[in-house]
């Protein structure tokens, strides 16, 4: 059974950095496409970054140049390095995996492409 555990959230001031982690169990990380999503209360979940099985990545425009998605296969962990954080980045962040098929690159940020989710970790950025 696939299980994803998110961690690394916290409270920082604008301009600060955080690194989110998503530790996977029950499967090998690079076997499936994975992504990071975020959701504010009362809003739809938004795709932030995605990574394909070949290592190709995709980012939503608002985080390009500031966020980096990566994997440590030895630790079976997905990361999201977030730099130059802004108040509008305040959200609950979730990692996700598609354990059924490879997600095409242009669909990596689409919530419906993923069937396995972490429990979420809160990121709060103050101005």
């Amino acid at each position: 059974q696939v299980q994803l555990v998110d961690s690394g959230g916290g409270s920082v001031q604008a301009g600060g950095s955080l690194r989110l982690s998503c530790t996977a169990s029950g499967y090998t990380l690079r076997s499936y496409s994975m992504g990071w999503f975020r959701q504010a209360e009362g809003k739809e979940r938004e795709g932030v970054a995605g990574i394909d099985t070949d290592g190709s990545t995709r980012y939503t425009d608002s985080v390009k140049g500031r966020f980096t998605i990566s994997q440590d296969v030895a630790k079976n962990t997905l990361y999201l390095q977030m730099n130059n954080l802004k108040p509008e980045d305040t959200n609950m962040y979730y990692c996700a995996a598609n354990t059924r098929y490879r997600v095409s690159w242009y669909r990596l940020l689409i919530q419906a492409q993923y069937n396995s989710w972490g429990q979420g970790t809160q990121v709060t950025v103050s101005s």
Side-chain angles (χ1 to χ4, degrees), residues 39-66:
Q39 185 173 23
E41 190 171 349
K43 295 188 177 182
E44 290 189 1
R45 196 166 291 188
E46 172 194 24
V48 176
I51 186 165
D52 198 357
T53 53
D54 64 0
S56 57
T57 59
R58 186 170 188 181
Y59 300 91
T60 193
D61 287 345
S62 63
V63 308
K64 286 180 180 177
R66 300 189 298 123

Side-chain angles (χ1 to χ4, degrees), residues 46-114:
E46 172 194 24
V48 176
I51 186 165
D52 198 357
T53 53
D54 64 0
S56 57
T57 59
R58 186 170 188 181
Y59 300 91
T60 193
D61 287 345
S62 63
V63 308
K64 286 180 180 177
R66 300 189 298 123
F67 291 11
T68 303
I69 188 171
S70 63
Q71 296 174 334
D72 185 331
V73 177
K75 295 182 179 180
N76 224 34
T77 300
L78 179 75
Y79 298 104
L80 184 67
Q81 178 67 44
M82 305 186 296
N83 298 327
N84 191 22
L85 282 161
K86 303 176 180 181
E88 52 264 41
D89 294 319
T90 295
N91 273 290
M92 184 72 80
Y93 284 73
Y94 301 86
C95 74
N98 184 320
T99 63
R100 298 169 299 181
Y101 55 84
R102 180 180 177 181
V103 179
S104 57
W105 180 83
Y106 62 93
R107 294 177 184 267
L108 282 174
L109 302 184
I110 299 175
Q111 178 185 350
Q113 292 296 311
Y114 297 89

